[in-house]
Amino acid sequence: MKNTLIVNYTPREGSTTKKLVDKFIEFNKDRTNITFLDLAKNTPDLLLEENLNLYVNRNFGGVELTAEQSKVLAKNDNFAAQILSADFIVIATPMYNMSLPATVKAWIDAITQVGKTFAFTAEGMKGLCENTQGLVLMTSGSDFSIEPFKSMNHATPLLNACLGLVGVPTENITVFGTQQYADKVEGLIENAKQEIETVSSKWY
Ligand SMILES: Cc1cc2nc3c(=O)[nH]c(=O)nc-3n(C[C@H](O)[C@H](O)[C@H](O)COP(=O)(O)O)c2cc1C
């Protein structure tokens, strides 16, 4: 069986995004080995003074770290290792302030590691995740699929670009407009669930 990593940030009580994750799990639990990473409970380390400099010195400078220094990077390194061993990656998150919840961005900063998940080559940057596919499940209060908000969507493009950088092409299933279309949100969720079935049947 192939391995699927679900990267989940759905802490709100009654979360709409969680309905999509639950559908994905319920539909696929017998088709793939699922590892569930709950970013609201297991939060990556922000890149601050100590760990950022250790990361830069090690990954960009080739400096060998002491065991103690390596421990400082261990948590984020584990997140990077997790994506390297996944065949499929699902990221489920709402849009926050046109972009990603900080915890989800912290996860992106943890997994995007030169020398581990991407490399600089003569042809440019190359993702080191091989044969991995991604799916973004996202909800937002307003409709970001049309203007005036479409050009302000820094959430799905950011995830698609960063996952692309590490070698993971992504598909997106969104429920944009959970508040704007409150009267028809159930139908939008049902459509998204159908799309989850379609992508899942293609994957497994
Ligand atoms: C802190 C915060 C920031 C948000 N920012 C945006 C935003 O920029 N654009 C938007 O359309 N909705 C925004 N929303 C609304 C959520 O994206 C929307 O309600 C989403 O469906 C919530 O997902 P959930 O039910 O899984 O928590 C925000 C909500 C919160 C709590």
Side-chain angles (χ1 to χ4, degrees):
M1 247 190 216
K2 301 268 187 183
N3 296 318
T4 302
L5 172 65
I6 299 182
V7 182
N8 174 72
Y9 176 83
T10 59
R12 194 180 68 81
E13 279 172 28
S15 164
T16 308
T17 319
K18 185 173 182 300
K19 292 180 183 163
L20 306 185
V21 186
D22 288 347
K23 168 69 189 185
F24 184 91
I25 294 172
E26 183 256 317
F27 192 71
N28 293 309
K29 59 183 186 303
D30 299 326
R31 305 166 179 234
T32 180
N33 296 316
I34 293 177
T35 300
F36 191 82
L37 168 58
D38 187 346
L39 290 178
K41 295 203 168 92
N42 188 1
T43 308
D45 292 331
L46 294 182
L47 299 180
L48 303 178
E49 191 171 341
E50 184 186 21
N51 63 345
L52 174 73
N53 283 294
L54 289 172
Y55 163 68
V56 169
N57 290 343
R58 181 190 68 179
N59 291 53
F60 288 84
V63 172
E64 201 170 316
L65 302 187
T66 64
E68 203 161 313
Q69 289 172 324
S70 297
K71 255 195 229 162
V72 175
L73 301 184
K75 187 171 194 184
N76 284 2
D77 284 351
N78 285 338
F79 291 125
Q82 247 180 349
I83 70 156
L84 286 166
S85 60
D87 300 298
F88 299 97
I89 301 174
V90 178
I91 302 172
T93 176
M95 176 189 287
Y96 277 2
N97 301 316
M98 321 293 173
S99 180
L100 300 174
T103 320
V104 182
K105 178 57 166 59
W107 178 81
I108 290 287
D109 290 342
I111 57 113
T112 310
Q113 290 205 24
V114 67
K116 276 186 193 281
T117 55
F118 78 98
F120 293 108
T121 71
E123 290 78 43
M125 292 193 284
K126 182 181 181 300
L128 299 178
C129 292
E130 281 175 7
N131 303 316
T132 313
Q133 292 181 67
L135 173 64
V136 173
L137 302 176
M138 185 174 293
T139 71
S140 67
S142 300
D143 187 353
F144 277 75
S145 65
I146 52 170
E147 296 298 350
F149 291 125
K150 189 176 177 185
S151 47
M152 293 182 229
N153 172 11
H154 302 288
T156 48
L158 180 59
L159 280 175
N160 294 334
C162 290
L163 270 290
L165 170 65
V166 297
V168 182
T170 45
E171 297 187 61
N172 295 177
I173 296 177
T174 58
V175 176
F176 281 160
T178 54
Q179 278 131 9
Q180 187 173 338
Y181 306 129
D183 52 334
K184 28 184 184 187
V185 72
E186 289 309 321
L188 299 176
I189 293 169
E190 278 315 307
N191 291 347
K193 287 182 177 177
Q194 284 300 317
E195 290 179 59
I196 288 170
E197 289 193 11
T198 305
V199 171
S200 302
S201 301
K202 206 168 56 179
W203 277 8
Y204 309 118

